[in-house]
Amino acid sequence: METQVSEHVIKPADRMTALPTQFFAKLVGKANAQAAKGRDVINLGQGNPDQPTPPHIVAKMQEASANPMYHRYPPFSGYSFLKEAVAHRYKEDYGVEVDPATEVAILFGGKTGLVEISQCLLNPGDVCLVPDPGYPDYWSGVALSGAEMSFMPLTADNRFLPDYNAIDQEALKRAKLMFINYPNNPTGAVADSKFYEETVAFARRTGVVVASDFAYGAIGFDGKKPVSFLQTPGAKEVGVEFYTLSKTYNMAGWRVGFAIGNAQIVSLINLIQDHYYCSLFGGIQEAAALALTGPQDCVAELTARYESRREAVFGALDRIGWKADRPGGSFFCWLPVPEGYTSESFADLVLEQADVVVAPGNGFGTHGEGYVRLGLLTSEERLIEAIERIGKLGIF
């Protein structure tokens, strides 16, 4: 006698259904579909560095991977030598003094910390102030925490900086956390000391915690070094900064970053990570420490490479009549779409007819509409070719 088995229904937790659509996964899908047709696609839509990790860092990893000490579980919050290396780099680059034991948390890449901080600080009903346009994974952490977002418009008229006086007052009463990000993804804008002074004053006045995403902190152009939030007096009292080795040292696949600043917030990040992970492989930590304390020529050379690529792109843009402002930092260009197109329709057009991938600006928020983001992440020759292909569409 056969027994009828009823269908077993899996019901996801509410937090899973509340997650935003992964914007970059959709973008990759479109690009791969075009490439599968045998097309020569130039993908400028993602933020994946194209250069290899510097050889001295790779060599240290190869050496360290043979160390039997690293084949055991690492300390939960990471090795002290890596935290000391972080403190060394911030002292050298920004003149900022931090206690490596209490003011540095080691992360599985900067993205992890940017998602974790919302879970550390926000409850359902709380509000997080989020830049618009901004990095979409800020949204993911807020969704996982069950909190709400209030968007801070970034517009060309205000140099893509938030206007703290324009924030909705009802939202501000419930706000506990705020993300800022300079050099900025996606706009390439940079912030000065005055902005950070205003940010610290705003945080003190409102009680909002500042999460400064400094992922592109090493990449500034025109002879100007990007300013760290932590250089501002009082910054450590009101927030933390997130940094990743992905961009500075071309270590995107290594997944290593850190949070630095307020000791209580660092402690909370360490606590939540105690429940998720058992820190990074020790060989990666040793190689990361060398990256931070060793010669920094590779960083200067990389920044010069991106600046040269920026100039190549804007020379080509000028030739086809596509008017845009040069980015002050990061490795992104924020380009207005031609009249008559939305961000998405223009991005689809250049993919389908020019085999070039750019990221539609609306994927970064409502105020990203009307722009596309282009990454300086291939050779100058290919960047110029991409712009020339778009120019042949005859829409500028």
Side-chain angles (χ1 to χ4, degrees), residues 60-75 78-79 81-82 106-108 254-256 277-289:
K60 176 55 72 176
M61 172 63 175
Q62 291 168 331
E63 173 195 326
S65 66
N67 185 341
M69 180 178 75
Y70 297 147
H71 301 170
R72 306 177 67 181
Y73 289 121
Y79 284 102
F81 63 74
L82 179 51
I106 305 303
L107 307 171
F108 281 73
W254 299 57
R255 309 315 304 139
V256 52
Y277 319 112
C278 188
S279 198
L280 299 166
F281 173 55
I284 289 179
Q285 293 193 51
E286 189 168 325

Side-chain angles (χ1 to χ4, degrees), residues 73-251:
Y73 289 121
F76 270 93
S77 62
Y79 284 102
S80 59
F81 63 74
L82 179 51
K83 297 178 185 179
E84 289 162 6
V86 169
H88 167 82
R89 186 78 272 130
Y90 259 66
K91 175 65 174 172
E92 288 277 311
D93 285 352
Y94 308 111
V96 173
E97 298 271 5
V98 294
D99 180 349
T102 62
E103 296 179 335
V104 178
I106 305 303
L107 307 171
F108 281 73
K111 170 179 173 173
T112 300
L114 292 167
V115 171
E116 288 170 343
I117 191 170
S118 290
Q119 296 172 76
C120 289
L121 296 177
L122 299 175
N123 292 314
D126 290 336
V127 166
C128 182
L129 304 175
V130 181
D132 177 6
Y135 180 48
D137 282 322
Y138 304 148
W139 313 343
S140 304
V142 178
L144 286 168
S145 74
E148 301 168 26
M149 292 189 291
S150 180
F151 291 100
M152 302 183 293
L154 308 185
T155 64
D157 290 344
N158 200 43
R159 299 181 293 127
F160 297 109
L161 300 171
D163 179 356
Y164 296 138
N165 293 319
I167 294 172
D168 179 79
Q169 291 302 302
E170 288 304 309
L172 191 55
K173 290 175 184 175
R174 294 187 287 132
K176 288 179 64 179
L177 177 65
M178 172 177 68
F179 287 101
I180 55 173
N181 165 223
Y182 297 97
N184 184 256
N185 173 18
T187 69
V190 293
D192 57 17
S193 300
K194 182 174 181 292
F195 168 75
Y196 286 123
E197 289 165 7
E198 292 171 354
T199 300
V200 170
F202 171 78
R204 281 178 166 159
R205 186 170 70 249
T206 61
V208 171
V209 169
V210 179
S212 169
D213 178 2
F214 203 39
Y216 304 91
I219 307 171
F221 303 137
D222 306 311
K224 297 177 181 176
K225 184 180 179 66
V227 178
S228 163
F229 164 69
L230 293 183
Q231 289 176 278
T232 312
K236 276 200 292 185
E237 283 70 56
V238 299
V240 289
E241 189 150 83
F242 293 91
Y243 198 98
T244 172
L245 276 65
S246 296
K247 281 74 179 179
T248 306
Y249 303 100
N250 290 318
M251 294 174 68

Side-chain angles (χ1 to χ4, degrees), residues 333-344:
C333 303
W334 191 234
L335 308 174
V337 303
E339 191 173 344
Y341 292 90
T342 65
S343 294
E344 196 134 14

